[in-house]
Amino acid sequence: MKSIPFAFTGEVLPLVGQGTWMIEKTARDRAVEAIRTGVDLGMTVIDTAEMYGDGIVEEIVGEAIHDIRDRVFLVSKVLPSNATYDGIRRACDRSLKRLNTGYLDLYLLHWPGAHPIDETIRGLESLVASHHTRFIGVSNFDSKDLKGALQALRNEQLACNQVLYHLGDRGIERRVIPFCERRRIAVMGYSPFGHRDLPTFPASVNQIALRHNCTHRQLALAFLIRNGVFAIPKASSMEHLRENAAAANIALTPEDIVEIATAFPMPSRDAPLGMI
Ligand code: NAP
């Protein structure tokens, strides 16, 4: 599995990991098996959140990784409504309990909320100090929000911004990716398949998939991770998991990339950050 350094952290992580939103809709034993299979396939970044299934998804993840915790880079997220200094500490404790682990690798604010970012950042930083999480970050933050978060930091750095990124929404390429690259913040793209269906592929892009002997979804993943953005597709089917893991090793040529980028262009002007 193709892996690269995760921002400044010193961790080398696979470019394709695993999402878990709505995995509670799959029978529990199959969901647990899917997550474990994903790890065996090298997709060791597991993304979850207190919001998913009202905590049930964190419990499923906890069950899946109970004996393989040290092989996993575990990411969870706090709801903005819980993101006061005390609220974030309580939320993290609840998540750790459900996940059946003593620490997270990365804890993110799920999206910008009403509580002052300075207080949220203080809460997040305190969780690093108390070893509840190794790294902290944000999600759904545009460059303006990122500036506010960076100004609030005292002791830690932002390791990651998790944002929407798929062939039908390449908006983050305009402002967010350049900003994060300058500040050494890893970009983790969520919903790489647009949550459900891919856009229709024109014949020119179909040809590229044929040449690489890969599926449309594999081609989409290979394109999205081409410049070091981490992707976290959610899959509960074994076949999908295998497909997604293998996509990290597809070597697109510069001509392939131009062709795909032309078929699925980034927006021609600045627009609000996309969010699901
Ligand atoms: P997604 O990964 O874009 O798409 C998931 C769907 O694609 C599922 O229906 C899955 O089916 C299917 N799929 C996966 N691999 C496939 C393959 N190789 N071939 C055919 N179908 C395939 O959607 P997502 O769950 O919205 O996004 C991924 C993760 O990002 C989430 O699970 C979550 O962890 C994270 N996320 C974060 C935020 C945020 O605000 N930070 C928001 C949304 C999502 P099966 O399950 O049947 O395999």
Side-chain angles (χ1 to χ4, degrees):
M1 165 75 69
K2 193 168 166 201
S3 303
I4 62 164
F6 191 67
F8 62 86
T9 65
E11 303 280 313
V12 175
L13 296 182
L15 280 165
V16 178
Q18 304 187 63
T20 61
W21 187 27
M22 298 194 182
I23 207 161
E24 79 280 9
K25 309 231 180 276
T26 301
R28 188 164 176 130
D29 53 346
R30 279 187 37 230
V32 166
E33 195 193 340
I35 293 167
R36 290 175 70 85
T37 302
V39 173
D40 282 342
L41 289 165
M43 295 185 290
T44 53
V45 175
I46 300 178
D47 177 72
T48 190
E50 63 170 336
M51 186 186 93
Y52 299 167
D54 270 335
I56 291 171
V57 172
E58 286 184 326
E59 288 174 6
I60 293 170
V61 171
E63 188 177 331
I65 65 169
H66 74 280
D67 57 344
I68 52 170
R69 174 67 187 92
D70 56 345
R71 289 170 58 198
V72 166
F73 189 89
L74 184 58
V75 185
S76 193
K77 311 184 206 79
V78 61
L79 281 168
S81 52
N82 286 333
T84 58
Y85 182 85
D86 291 330
I88 210 165
R89 294 192 59 86
R90 284 195 296 267
C92 187
D93 276 338
R94 291 193 296 270
S95 285
L96 290 176
K97 199 158 171 219
R98 288 190 290 261
L99 287 160
N100 194 20
T101 182
Y103 69 98
L104 297 169
D105 292 287
L106 178 65
Y107 199 36
L108 308 175
L109 172 62
H110 208 144
W111 62 86
H115 295 301
I117 190 66
D118 289 44
E119 182 176 349
T120 303
I121 292 288
R122 269 203 304 122
L124 285 169
E125 288 190 325
S126 80
L127 289 167
V128 179
S130 55
H131 305 290
H132 287 75
T133 187
R134 297 172 61 219
F135 306 110
I136 58 173
V138 291
S139 176
N140 296 300
F141 268 46
D142 208 332
S143 45
K144 182 168 62 67
D145 308 309
L146 284 168
K147 280 181 200 153
L150 288 170
Q151 275 164 10
L153 292 165
R154 291 181 195 172
N155 306 315
E156 302 298 331
Q157 297 181 60
L158 284 188
C160 175
N161 185 21
Q162 188 183 107
V163 280
L164 179 69
Y165 190 40
H166 57 84
L167 289 181
D169 190 339
R170 293 177 52 207
I172 60 166
E173 291 183 38
R174 288 189 65 90
R175 294 182 303 279
V176 173
I177 293 181
F179 185 96
C180 289
E181 274 174 0
R182 284 196 299 277
R183 304 305 294 255
R184 296 185 70 212
I185 300 168
V187 178
M188 192 178 276
Y190 71 71
S191 301
F193 305 138
H195 189 61
R196 266 188 198 91
D197 298 320
L198 294 185
T200 307
F201 276 34
S204 57
V205 182
N206 271 331
Q207 286 303 319
I208 302 174
L210 283 173
R211 271 204 304 281
H212 287 278
N213 194 19
C214 71
T215 66
H216 285 186
R217 291 191 190 238
Q218 286 180 310
L219 197 67
L221 281 179
F223 178 80
L224 297 172
I225 63 172
R226 71 197 181 284
N227 290 328
V229 170
F230 294 85
I232 44 167
K234 175 261 180 183
S236 50
S237 124
M238 298 299 155
E239 192 192 330
H240 294 167
L241 286 159
R242 274 192 289 277
E243 238 184 79
N244 297 347
N249 298 324
I250 295 170
L252 296 178
T253 66
E255 294 76 22
D256 295 338
I257 290 170
V258 170
E259 194 75 62
I260 300 168
T262 307
F264 303 103
M266 59 190 253
S268 55
R269 63 177 103 104
D270 280 347
L273 192 63
M275 191 175 160
I276 291 186

